[in-house]
Amino acid sequence: MATANAGPRSSGGHPESARLRLLGSEAKGLAGSEALTLAAQQAMAALGGLGGLVHLRGTGPGELRLAAVSGLGPVFAEAWSRLDESGQAAPARAVRSGSHIWTADGMGTHATGTASAPLPGADGPIGVLSVLTARPGPPDRRQWTFLTSAAAWAAACVGPVTGEWFSEADRARDGAPAERTFHMSELTVALAEALTSRDVVRAVQERVLPPFGADGMLVEVVERDHLHILGSTGYTREFVAEIEGVPLTTHTAATTVLHTGTPVFAESPTEFLRRFPELEALMLASAKRAWAMLPLIASGRGIGCCVISFARERTFSDEQRTLLTALSGLVAQALERARLYDAEHTRAQKLQRGLLPRTLPSLPAVSAGARYLPAGQSDEVGGDWYDVIPLSGDRVALVVGDVMGHGLSEAVTMARLRTAVRTLADLDIPPDDLLAHLSDLVRDLGDDSYATCLYAEYDPVTGICAFSTAGHPPPIVVHRDGTVLRPEPSADPPLGAAEPPFGTHELHLPDDALLVFCTDGLVESAARDIDEGLTQLERSVARAVADHSLFSTGHRDEKAEPVLEELCDAVVSDLLPDRERTDDDAVLFIAHTRRTPEDDVASFSLPDDPRAAGLARRHVREQLALWDLTDLEMTTELVVSELVGNVFRHASGPARLRLLRSRTLICEVYDGSPTTPRIRRAASTDEGGRGLQLVAAVSQRWGTRFLSEGKCIWSEQALTP
């Protein structure tokens, strides 16, 4: 792929004008390949490239010879030392065409391509300025403008081309500067690989300070008209705190450099105080005696400042000043890219955290703890989720799921599924039916959408946990005596791939037990398969339960929830000791289940005749007296009368009444009819039709759940403190 256009020759008005001013200011005193090296360095920084080169037409016909190089090690520089003018490399094509060229060819490096602009001369191009690009696609219009302008500046510095140009460049490659070029190449690669702002700071610390013998560094960035410290080395915590958050309107060395866009080199405290006399106290507190203060300019605007400092006085040669100035451009480009990544990643993580439960409810039947761990090596959000949903009759739904893949679309799919699960759970439908509806939803999202899910319902009265699973590991059960059981039901395919019906499985839980749920990211990795991981999870949970004594003081202990959090931390640390090396999201979800005490449940059979309502009211009076809840007697009799009366008017018997004393008073009336009761809009002249309106008026909430043998109409009333 190649592009060819006649680029503009003027440098005025484009965002990189600051770099061109720098080139102009540095032109004096530079001779030979030094000027061309400066042009290569600035061009590389402006394009965020991996290397910069200047070739000149040789003294022999049809030959381009390397006159200056920046950012490439000696091996690569040697490979580029001579080019055939008639070849297809970007520099040769740019010289032949007289216009800039980009080709998708890194010429033996890791670059994505090569951008070249000819050095104009009176009788045609005299050479070419090239940058090995790091981003896909050709440079944008502003970058082309700078590259062609820098090429024109370099051409003006060349003058007559003689063999001295090339021998000087050869000496630069063979001598001490080659070592610094190699260090710069390493820095360029490190910056190209840096994802986050911290990665950029680490690259500067590791690749810039040692070659220059520096022992101090400050990287400051502009945020809301203030300079904030992004990273520091060699300074005390007190000094960093003193300069943190300085307004841009304050006159400091960093703000001065940032406003002018020009580096400042202070070789001694005397020179520093000559430039900034009002900063003597700050200079003394820094304990430094030489400074290179470099503006960080990206996309034509100042984004911060990088200060390289030394504990002893030192001089900066022209070559060192040129190199540090070029390095600041590379750092600025990498930092701008990294800050965009940081912002996107932070927004994505906030989105995912917002989609997960902020806190898990503590219910009479269940307390829970959970950990969600994003992938350590991934820069995208995932689709793992978990939930605890209160159901009628003190029952609880426990959910864990995993949308396959990573990215924003997977997080959105997860949000859809979690919302759908909550909506379907409110309808009190069985686990297998709920997963069937979810599977239809995933299938409607497209052929490439799949998710695993486990949906469980725990009934504290019977102690039965009924669950269905779609491609998801079953829960692990931990008994009070420390026994760990892992059921192995027949597996159903993931949502989107499975065809109903789903299987329903039952666990008969003792009083006081743990249910442990997870996603595959917790137990499966390149080093272990999922069966090995689940076995390790069993052992880890057993050890953690023994160490933290969850069951030692009884199942009504209010300290259970903090212990669950400690359990989660212990298990995660055991299974994922190095989070930074994982490439999948992980969820650990531990539920502590409790049975309802027998004294808090009262059940009564009712006859299949009109006497049932009166008998139900008598049962209510007697039971509420036993529970010392006589203040609820009138409203509860009203609720029970209306619900039992509806059974014999609109449904079929026999009926059954059940009362539960929990955080609320729960009244349940069972019958054998699948019909759904509805609140009617009764006219002022109607004699009936207001029963369910009265039930709704005196209840916190009410509803219907359907059973295999009929239905249950239920009502909850608040207990008087």
Side-chain angles (χ1 to χ4, degrees):
M1 175 181 178
T3 61
N5 298 93
R9 304 298 185 190
S10 172
S11 65
H14 59 75
E16 304 294 349
S17 57
R19 294 189 185 279
L20 291 176
R21 289 197 301 271
L22 174 63
L23 289 175
S25 66
E26 294 287 347
K28 297 179 181 179
L30 295 182
S33 62
E34 291 181 346
L36 301 188
T37 300
L38 177 61
Q41 289 169 346
Q42 291 302 310
M44 178 178 62
L47 273 65
L50 302 181
L53 310 101
V54 177
H55 286 84
L56 297 177
R57 278 181 158 167
T59 54
E63 183 182 63
L64 291 173
R65 293 191 59 181
L66 187 62
V69 62
S70 175
L72 293 176
V75 175
F76 287 124
E78 183 62 30
W80 281 66
S81 61
R82 296 174 184 267
L83 293 178
D84 185 356
E85 250 188 66
S86 62
Q88 293 303 308
R93 295 179 58 184
V95 168
R96 291 202 308 271
S97 66
S99 60
H100 64 242
I101 291 286
W102 181 83
T103 61
D105 177 12
M107 296 298 291
T109 69
H110 296 295
T112 59
T114 306
S116 299
L119 273 61
D123 299 320
I126 62 172
V128 59
L129 171 62
S130 303
V131 173
L132 300 178
T133 57
R135 298 178 180 178
D140 58 29
R141 180 182 59 81
R142 293 180 300 179
Q143 291 172 328
W144 277 129
T145 298
F146 179 80
L147 187 62
T148 53
S149 300
W153 178 87
C157 296
V158 171
V161 178
T162 65
E164 182 62 24
W165 279 101
F166 309 115
S167 60
E168 191 173 325
D170 292 338
R171 286 195 303 272
R173 289 198 302 275
D174 295 335
E179 183 179 354
R180 285 188 289 272
T181 299
F182 181 69
H183 286 301
M184 187 170 181
S185 178
E186 290 180 340
L187 173 65
T188 303
V189 173
L191 292 176
E193 294 175 348
L195 280 179
T196 68
S197 298
R198 293 188 181 274
D199 293 338
V200 174
V201 172
R202 189 181 305 114
V204 175
Q205 179 181 344
E206 296 175 354
R207 307 293 184 183
V208 175
L209 301 192
F212 287 91
D215 55 12
M217 177 199 71
L218 287 169
V219 177
E220 302 174 78
V221 294
V222 178
E223 292 180 3
R224 299 178 180 177
D225 296 328
H226 289 71
L227 274 177
H228 293 278
I229 307 297
L230 188 61
S232 67
T233 297
Y235 290 92
T236 64
R237 186 174 302 176
E238 293 75 17
F239 178 81
V240 172
E242 186 175 355
I243 63 174
E244 163 62 21
V246 172
L248 292 181
T249 54
T250 304
H251 179 64
T252 67
T255 57
T256 300
V257 167
L258 190 57
H259 287 314
T260 62
T262 303
V264 171
F265 297 92
E267 300 178 340
S268 66
T270 302
E271 184 176 354
F272 182 92
L273 292 177
R274 187 170 63 250
R275 291 174 177 269
F276 309 104
E278 69 278 13
L279 301 179
E280 181 176 6
L282 198 62
M283 182 200 72
L284 293 175
S286 74
K288 303 300 179 185
R289 301 187 63 80
W291 301 263
M293 291 162 277
L294 312 169
L296 300 178
I297 301 174
S299 301
R301 60 186 180 87
I303 64 170
C305 178
C306 179
V307 179
I308 307 296
S309 56
F310 306 82
R312 297 181 179 180
E313 297 182 10
R314 62 159 298 162
T315 59
F316 297 96
S317 67
D318 290 340
E319 180 195 8
Q320 291 168 341
R321 295 181 183 224
T322 300
L323 188 56
L324 285 169
T325 301
L327 290 177
S328 69
L330 293 176
V331 172
Q333 296 287 340
L335 190 56
E336 183 182 42
R337 183 178 67 249
R339 294 181 73 193
L340 289 175
Y341 168 85
D342 290 341
E344 289 295 327
H345 193 57
T346 300
R347 281 194 290 266
Q349 288 189 325
K350 284 183 178 179
L351 169 64
Q352 187 159 43
R353 285 194 295 268
L355 297 175
L356 293 173
R358 291 183 179 273
T359 58
L360 292 174
S362 180
L363 304 172
V366 168
S367 296
R371 289 293 180 272
Y372 167 76
L373 300 103
Q377 292 185 334
S378 175
D379 59 347
E380 294 183 300
V381 294
D384 292 19
W385 94 94
Y386 57 91
D387 213 343
V388 177
I389 307 172
L391 303 176
S392 62
D394 259 4
R395 297 171 308 120
V396 182
L398 305 167
V399 195
V400 63
D402 181 3
V403 178
M404 297 182 186
H406 291 85
L408 194 57
S409 62
E410 283 73 15
V412 171
T413 298
M414 178 265 283
R416 290 177 174 177
L417 293 181
R418 181 170 178 248
T419 302
V421 167
R422 282 191 156 264
T423 302
L424 294 169
D426 283 343
L427 300 178
D428 258 326
I429 62 177
D432 55 341
D433 287 346
L434 186 143
L435 289 191
H437 286 291
L438 276 190
S439 188
D440 290 340
L441 173 60
V442 173
R443 192 177 295 111
D444 290 342
L445 295 177
D447 295 337
D448 57 346
S449 294
Y450 296 99
T452 64
C453 184
L454 187 153
Y455 181 86
E457 286 184 1
Y458 173 65
D459 188 337
V461 176
T462 63
I464 294 176
C465 177
F467 70 91
S468 294
T469 177
H472 206 89
I476 292 174
V477 184
V478 184
H479 289 239
R480 186 180 179 87
D481 62 1
T483 304
V484 180
L485 301 175
R486 174 157 56 103
E488 297 184 359
S490 56
D492 283 309
L495 302 174
E499 292 291 340
F502 288 88
T504 301
H505 317 281
E506 290 188 351
L507 298 173
H508 293 264
L509 301 181
D511 189 15
D512 221 14
L514 290 183
L515 288 173
V516 181
F517 306 85
C518 69
T519 59
D520 59 357
L522 184 71
V523 294
E524 188 176 22
S525 68
R528 66 186 177 211
D529 62 30
I530 192 167
D531 289 330
E532 294 173 336
L534 289 172
T535 300
Q536 185 177 348
L537 176 60
E538 291 181 49
R539 293 195 296 263
S540 178
V541 170
R543 284 195 301 268
V545 169
D547 292 342
H548 291 82
S549 304
L550 175 66
F551 302 120
S552 61
T553 56
H555 69 280
R556 294 297 175 186
D557 188 359
E558 294 182 355
K559 296 181 179 179
E561 288 181 45
V563 174
L564 286 174
E565 298 298 321
E566 295 174 11
L567 281 179
C568 289
D569 289 336
V571 173
V572 166
S573 297
D574 190 15
L575 269 75
L576 299 176
D578 190 356
R579 282 296 306 148
E580 294 302 317
R581 295 183 178 274
T582 60
D583 56 5
D584 195 8
D585 295 2
V587 161
L588 174 66
F589 176 31
I590 302 179
H592 181 204
T593 63
R594 298 178 285 267
R595 296 283 296 271
T596 301
E598 293 182 0
D599 293 345
D600 289 340
V601 183
S603 185
F604 310 95
S605 296
L606 301 175
D608 191 8
D609 59 50
R611 295 175 302 164
L615 184 59
R617 288 193 293 271
R618 190 181 76 193
H619 288 318
V620 165
R621 289 192 297 270
E622 293 173 351
Q623 191 61 45
L624 294 187
L626 289 175
W627 284 343
D628 195 20
L629 296 175
T630 54
D631 53 325
L632 295 178
E633 184 179 295
M634 181 180 300
T635 56
T636 307
E637 284 190 58
L638 172 62
V639 169
V640 169
S641 292
E642 293 299 336
L643 297 184
V644 173
N646 279 342
V647 170
F648 295 98
R649 283 192 294 271
H650 306 294
S652 58
R656 181 165 60 93
L657 169 66
R658 189 172 78 166
L659 301 176
L660 299 175
R661 180 178 60 174
S662 182
R663 292 181 180 178
T664 60
L665 177 63
I666 303 170
C667 302
E668 298 177 333
V669 175
Y670 295 81
D671 64 58
S673 171
T675 57
T676 303
R678 296 193 303 270
I679 295 180
R680 292 174 50 192
R681 183 182 295 276
S684 58
T685 56
D686 289 344
E687 296 183 0
R690 298 179 179 84
L692 290 181
Q693 291 182 0
L694 294 174
V695 172
V698 299
S699 302
Q700 273 191 334
R701 60 178 191 146
W702 73 280
T704 305
R705 67 175 181 268
F706 293 93
L707 312 169
S708 58
E709 67 278 6
K711 69 176 180 293
C712 167
I713 308 176
W714 54 271
S715 163
E716 292 183 7
Q717 300 176 74
L719 298 181
T720 302

